[in-house]
């Protein structure tokens, strides 16, 4: 198995076109992912295919082109911006004589670097082990040998079977520990719920400016950097609104196109807080040419974690890059649709606070109506558009 070097790795990126229109955006995204992981990009190989090759994904001719780039630049790593099977990774490593990883492995590596809390590290390790369980045969030909020696001869089990068994034990242990942490989170959420405060979660595509906005509103000092997945661990703070009092605001992990299902499953406990929020602030990079696609990708992940029905208020961020003025947009019935802000410069934050106060006051009115037994209740969904569409 190829060892990971301790210095910065020189990487060749492979991006194949299967007829998609957003190829340039996908290439820019994988470039940012590679840089976020600490790789130095020395070459990019493009190609067009009708369908993936069963053995090498890229086909024999394209693999030869990639091999030439690896040799010319003395690359340590080849990154496919696609999902590879275990067999395809093994065949590519044999042909290219260097490590080969796919998009999922790249994202998992970034998450492993960024996880800081004990729970975050457990979640990332679980996702990595479940991904590795399908790839134990990749380059591990020596593990097919059976154990031998005095006292160990006989049928026994192969080293590969032993590794699989030990990996299964570790995965079971991690899941049990995460269940305990999830129960603790549930107790904390119930305590916040008893306080009858509006519970708001920031969601959005990675690098849309969620953490910058969170810091601008709460002065929490969360790491905010111009890179993908700068922060992973959920941070929660109380936010004081002059008109409505305190609300609870949480900054969550960013989403991305084709977010690995193993990560979504591992981060279930963290993302569950999003599904139980009263309101989602869907932060969007308004300067991105792929804005609409990113909104769709975020909504797909929200549906996967059971948060599709949670009301959304869209926040179009980065107005400093578009030149548009800050504003609040409503429909013909006065329903909140979206707020345009610049979290970096602070433009429009007062408008966002007013919008949050409006939602919080609506929740308080509903609670008072419920406690007084009034039958005609106005649900919080009436305050803004729940689909969050741009």
């Amino acid at each position: 198995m190829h060892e990971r070097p301790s210095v910065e790795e020189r990487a060749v990126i492979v991006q194949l076109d299967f007829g998609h229109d957003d190829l340039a955006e996908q290439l820019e995204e994988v470039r940012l992912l590679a840089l976020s992981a600490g790789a130095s990009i020395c070459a990019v190989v493009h190609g067009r295919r009708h369908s993936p090759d069963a053995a090498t994904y890229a086909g024999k001719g394209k693999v030869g082109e990639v091999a030439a780039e690896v040799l010319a630049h003395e690359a340590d790593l080849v990154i496919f911006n696609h999902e590879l099977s275990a067999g395809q990774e093994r065949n590519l490593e044999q042909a290219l004589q260097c490590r080969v990883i796919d998009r999922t492995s790249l994202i998992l590596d970034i998450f492993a670097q960024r996880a800081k809390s004990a729970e975050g590290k457990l979640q990332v390790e679980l996702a990595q082990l479940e991904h590795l369980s399908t790839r134990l045969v990749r380059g591990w030909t020596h593990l097919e040998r059976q154990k031998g020696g005095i006292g160990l001869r006989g049928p026994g089990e192969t080293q590969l079977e032993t590794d699989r068994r030990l990996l299964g034990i570790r995965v079971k242990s991690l899941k049990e520990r995460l269940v305990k942490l999830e129960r603790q989170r549930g107790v904390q959420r119930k305590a916040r719920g008893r306080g009858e405060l509006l519970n708001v979660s920031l969601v959005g595509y990675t690098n849309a400016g969620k953490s910058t906005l969170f810091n601008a509103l709460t002065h929490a000092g969360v790491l905010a950097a111009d890179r993908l997945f700068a922060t992973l661990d959920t941070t929660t703070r109380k936010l004081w609104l002059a008109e409505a009092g305190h609300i609870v605001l949480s900054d969550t992990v960013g989403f991305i196109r084709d977010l690995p299902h193993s990560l979504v499953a591992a981060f279930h406990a963290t993302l569950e807080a999003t599904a139980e929020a009263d309101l989602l602030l869907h932060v969007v990079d308004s300067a991105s040419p792929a804005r609409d696609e990113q909104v769709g990708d975020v909504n797909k992940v929200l549906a996967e974690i059971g948060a599709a029905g949670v009301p959304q208020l869209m926040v179009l961020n980065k107005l400093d890059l578009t030149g548009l003025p800050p504003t609040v947009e409503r429909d013909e019935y006065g329903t909140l649709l979206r707020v345009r802000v610049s979290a970096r410069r602070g433009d429009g934050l007062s408008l966002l606070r007013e919008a949050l106060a409006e939602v919080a006051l609506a929740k308080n009115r509903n609670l008072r109506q419920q406690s007084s037994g009034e039958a005609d209740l106005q649900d919080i969904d009436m305050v803004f558009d729940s689909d969050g569409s741009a």
Side-chain angles (χ1 to χ4, degrees), residues 15-18 20-28 46-47:
Q15 172 71 63
L16 301 180
D17 181 8
F18 295 100
H20 298 165
D21 296 330
D22 57 346
L23 188 63
E25 187 67 26
Q26 291 183 24
L27 184 58
E28 176 62 15
H46 302 272

Side-chain angles (χ1 to χ4, degrees), residues 202-205 208-215 251-254 283 317:
L202 288 167
V203 299
Y205 209 79
K210 293 192 302 8
S211 295
T212 301
L213 180 62
F214 184 76
N215 288 336
D251 182 26
T252 61
V253 62
V283 184
N317 190 28

Side-chain angles (χ1 to χ4, degrees), residues 56-130:
T56 62
Y57 197 89
K60 184 177 180 180
K62 189 58 61 176
V63 170
E65 184 180 338
V66 175
E69 293 290 349
V70 169
L71 183 63
H73 297 280
E74 299 182 349
D76 312 293
L77 176 68
V78 173
I79 301 172
F80 273 71
N81 191 27
H82 306 278
E83 189 79 17
L84 300 177
S85 69
Q88 287 167 339
E89 282 192 19
R90 181 176 65 251
N91 294 336
L92 286 167
E93 287 190 341
Q94 291 174 351
L96 301 175
Q97 290 299 297
C98 72
R99 286 199 315 121
V100 176
I101 64 173
D102 62 2
R103 179 184 174 84
T104 296
S105 297
L106 179 60
I107 295 175
L108 286 172
D109 185 88
I110 297 172
F111 270 59
Q113 294 180 44
R114 304 287 161 76
K116 301 300 181 185
S117 69
E119 183 178 14
K121 292 177 180 178
L122 289 177
Q123 290 169 327
V124 171
E125 183 183 355
L126 175 60
Q128 287 183 314
L129 290 179
E130 291 185 329

Side-chain angles (χ1 to χ4, degrees), residues 291-322:
R291 184 187 76 178
D292 293 339
E293 290 79 5
Q294 292 175 357
V295 169
D297 290 330
V298 171
N299 285 330
K300 286 179 183 177
V301 179
L302 290 175
E304 190 171 350
I305 64 176
V310 180
Q312 289 187 25
L313 175 60
M314 183 168 289
V315 180
L316 296 175
N317 190 28
K318 303 189 180 181
L319 294 186
D320 48 304
L321 301 180
T322 64

